[in-house]
Amino acid sequence: MAKMVKKGDLPAKICATCGRPFAWRKKWEKVWDEVRFCSDRCRGEARRKPG
């Protein structure tokens, strides 16, 4: 059985849109280096902003 990892021990990043910290998720396991936004909403907001 795999060793349990505490939520506080997971890697974290800062969202490029809202600036809030967000933690690693299992679904991002293979693409963690490419993840920039904490949610679909923030990703959508980044597309709408001019610049």
Side-chain angles (χ1 to χ4, degrees), residues 3-50:
K3 181 182 173 188
M4 297 298 291
V5 177
K6 293 180 183 175
K7 192 170 186 178
D9 294 337
L10 294 173
K13 291 184 179 183
I14 304 296
C15 178
T17 302
C18 66
R20 295 182 196 166
F22 63 97
W24 181 90
R25 294 184 186 177
K26 178 70 174 171
K27 70 179 186 177
W28 293 333
E29 184 174 24
K30 294 178 179 152
V31 294
W32 179 243
D33 293 334
E34 301 168 19
V35 176
R36 295 179 49 215
F37 307 106
C38 63
S39 64
D40 289 336
R41 181 178 180 178
C42 281
R43 188 174 60 215
E45 289 292 324
R47 286 187 194 166
R48 284 190 229 150
K49 288 183 182 178

